[in-house]
Amino acid sequence: MDAYAQWLKGAIVRGSYIGLFAESRNEVIAGAGMLLLQWGPTRGDSNPMRARIVNVWTRPDWRRNGIATDLVQNLLAQAEMIGIRTIGLASTPASEALYRSLGFESYLAEMVRRRR
């Protein structure tokens, strides 16, 4: 099993990953996930939890039918039910309009350091 699949299995068991799928005729046609993160309170958000939307995809022949939108809206509703107010994601140019329609906005203050 590859490293991501192994990690994902553990995250699901720990309850730190919520994954949703859409099916048609017993076939998975789309999916979306949300990672729950212990972030710590900040000046703008006293809740120590944050979330990150990940693994959003739709089979090409099912795109532009609102399926990904429905899955992400479901994840956002789940985040709201548990009090998470800050949710991040990475978007591609093709998905930017979808996320903007759901209230996401560009956030340019982030930097990354990777050690190899």
Side-chain angles (χ1 to χ4, degrees), residues 31-70:
M34 183 170 64
L35 182 59
L36 306 176
L37 304 166
Q38 281 285 339
W39 196 265
T42 64
R43 286 183 291 258
D45 187 350
S46 62
N47 187 334
M49 296 294 297
R50 290 199 178 184
R52 184 161 183 86
I53 302 294
V54 296
N55 302 332
V56 179
W57 61 274
T58 305
R59 265 188 24 192
D61 52 326
W62 284 90
R63 290 181 183 158
R64 303 279 183 232
N65 289 299
I67 300 167
T69 301
D70 289 345

Side-chain angles (χ1 to χ4, degrees), residues 4 19 23 31 57 78-79 88 94 105-107 110 113-114:
Y4 188 82
E23 295 181 330
W57 61 274
Q78 290 188 50
E105 54 191 44
S106 296
Y107 183 72
E110 192 168 305
R113 177 179 183 231
R114 291 190 176 112

Side-chain angles (χ1 to χ4, degrees), residues 5-6 13-14 36 48 107:
Q6 185 67 30
V13 169
R14 289 187 302 277
L36 306 176
Y107 183 72

Side-chain angles (χ1 to χ4, degrees), residues 21-31 62 67 71:
F21 294 103
E23 295 181 330
S24 177
R25 298 184 182 127
N26 295 320
E27 224 177 300
V28 174
I29 58 170
W62 284 90
I67 300 167
L71 291 173

